[in-house]
Amino acid sequence: MVVVGIVLSAVNLRPAITSLGALLEEVRDGLGMSGSVAGLLTSVPPLCFAVFGVTAPRLARRFGPAAVVCAGMAAIATGLLIRPYAGGTAGFLAASALALMGIAVSNVLMPVIVKRWFPDRVGSMTGLYSMALALGTSTAAAATVPLTDALGGGWQPGLAVWAALAVAAVLPWLPVVRDRGTAPAPQHRPDREATPQQAALRITRSRTAWALAVFFGLQATAAYITMGWMAQIFRDAGVPAGTAGLLLAVTMVMGVPLAFVIPRVATRLPHQGPIVLVLGVCGLAGYAGLYLAPAGGSWAWAVLLGVSNCAFPLALTMVGMRARTGAGVAQLSAFAQSTGYLISIPGPLLVGVLYQQSGGWGVPIALMAGLMVPQMAVGFLAGRDRTVEDEAAAR
């Protein structure tokens, strides 16, 4: 039941964002939303992830991680159901924030749940939910418009229909919450149990925690830039709009199989730095292709950037590996994701400004490639075989 809950929850961690992206023009027209407010919507998800994600460890200590994820799925369902019918921009934003709050706490606690129930299968389970997350992301992006047409063409039901998927994710957690605290006995090992010292863990003293937070932020920056601007880069190079959308879908779909494979490989290595470097080289090659021949090799660049974006499941895997205890994973996950999402907020906006000021994509692509270099450096540091408890415990 926990496995089913993990998979269904992961599927629900991005449709609230990608379904809106597919219908953003219709939503703007329907609500009379200004261009600046619509632009703000692109930065709301990482902002909410950063603000609400930090509350997850405290909520998990109070109610248990399964109960918090269950409540998070309920918040997603409620927010998605309400926001199309909230009757104005303010209500739409408030309902979106409710859904994003549920996503934020679930984002942080997924590695915690994996560490608690499956401590010896961190790679396999992280790969499973990363694959489910990628599947949910690409499915919502591809299916929202056809679903909207099938439901009569109105954008409201086209957005609200995704609430049903979140309702389904609530159900498997209910029996788990009823038996709160009863993880399988063999996995409750003395060396994994909470100790009084864990309460004094100062995560900001850990260099590994900072490296992982910056790595998470830079890979998130690359992912949001790709999702927001890559199709436009291809269109400006003369690629037809339909083909540009398909190229973006290819980039996103690459995460489905690789999100399952990469965590399994990562957990078998003492140092995950080599994987970071391989993904970074793929990203640099993809950006070089976009700069030199965006239309000529478009399919190759889409594949390479899709591979590079699989730094996300690798980052999640390292969160589970860089802490020994469930409490440590909770603190590290909250710190790395909240700090990382704060770092990622300016990226897509900066790309838009540079594109407008320079009149082309050369400077923005150079920025994307430039950010890949520090991403590789801090990712290599985060991949070293050490734990935040050893680095950050109060002496």
Side-chain angles (χ1 to χ4, degrees):
M1 197 61 76
V2 173
V3 172
V4 174
I6 288 173
V7 170
L8 286 178
S9 297
V11 169
N12 279 279
L13 293 180
R14 293 298 180 270
I17 302 168
T18 52
S19 62
L20 175 59
L23 296 174
L24 184 57
E25 185 175 344
E26 289 80 2
V27 172
R28 284 185 59 187
D29 293 341
L31 295 178
M33 192 180 293
S34 68
S36 59
V37 173
L40 181 64
L41 283 176
T42 63
S43 296
V44 166
L47 179 61
C48 287
F49 294 165
V51 171
F52 296 123
V54 296
T55 67
R58 183 178 300 175
L59 293 172
R61 287 194 297 270
R62 175 67 178 86
F63 302 104
V68 177
V69 172
C70 183
M73 293 299 111
I76 295 170
T78 304
L80 293 184
L81 187 61
I82 291 174
R83 74 174 179 178
Y85 307 104
T89 299
F92 187 91
L93 290 173
S96 295
L98 175 62
L100 292 168
M101 178 176 64
I103 294 172
V105 295
S106 301
N107 270 337
V108 170
L109 294 180
M110 280 292 163
V112 179
I113 288 174
V114 168
K115 186 76 169 183
R116 180 183 179 190
W117 270 273
F118 308 98
D120 299 320
R121 287 178 282 165
V122 169
S124 297
M125 292 306 301
T126 301
L128 184 63
Y129 83 73
S130 298
M131 185 174 64
L133 191 154
L135 185 63
T137 303
S138 55
T139 299
T144 297
V145 172
L147 279 174
T148 300
D149 294 338
L151 293 170
W155 62 268
Q156 289 94 339
L159 290 182
V161 69
W162 295 103
L165 192 61
V167 171
V170 172
L171 302 179
W173 290 112
L174 296 177
V176 179
V177 173
R178 239 188 343 258
D179 299 327
R180 186 171 75 177
T182 58
Q187 296 173 6
H188 271 199
R189 301 173 183 173
D191 63 323
R192 299 187 193 274
E193 289 299 317
T195 63
Q197 286 80 7
Q198 287 177 11
L201 184 65
R202 298 179 184 177
I203 200 73
T204 55
R205 301 176 100 185
S206 167
R207 293 181 179 179
T208 297
W210 278 107
L212 191 51
V214 177
F215 176 66
F216 195 97
L218 291 175
Q219 67 79 28
T221 299
Y224 279 105
I225 289 173
T226 299
M227 285 189 288
W229 293 108
M230 195 180 80
Q232 191 63 48
I233 293 174
F234 285 129
R235 292 182 67 176
D236 287 350
V239 176
T243 304
L246 188 58
L247 287 165
L248 178 58
V250 167
T251 299
M252 297 167 69
V253 167
M254 288 298 298
V256 177
L258 290 178
F260 186 70
V261 173
I262 288 175
R264 291 171 64 89
V265 174
T267 54
R268 291 186 171 95
L269 298 176
H271 193 318
Q272 291 73 48
I275 303 178
V276 172
L277 297 181
V278 170
L279 298 180
V281 168
C282 288
L284 289 173
Y287 290 135
L290 283 181
Y291 184 88
L292 296 172
S298 56
W299 294 99
W301 318 143
V303 169
L304 285 169
L305 291 173
V307 173
S308 179
N309 280 349
C310 287
F312 175 68
L314 178 61
L316 293 178
T317 305
M318 289 196 288
V319 167
M321 297 179 69
R322 296 287 88 89
R324 284 196 305 268
T325 64
V329 171
Q331 284 187 259
L332 178 58
S333 182
F335 175 74
Q337 294 199 46
S338 296
T339 304
Y341 281 123
L342 280 175
I343 292 171
S344 73
I345 291 171
L349 299 176
L350 182 58
V351 166
V353 170
L354 290 175
Y355 171 62
Q356 186 173 349
Q357 294 296 321
S358 66
W361 286 108
V363 175
I365 291 173
L367 171 67
M368 299 176 210
L371 290 176
M372 188 60 65
V373 177
Q375 177 180 320
M376 295 165 67
V378 294
F380 191 87
L381 292 176
R384 295 174 299 173
D385 186 14
R386 56 193 64 192
T387 64
V388 294
E389 286 90 351
D390 292 337
E391 294 180 342
R395 296 284 190 264

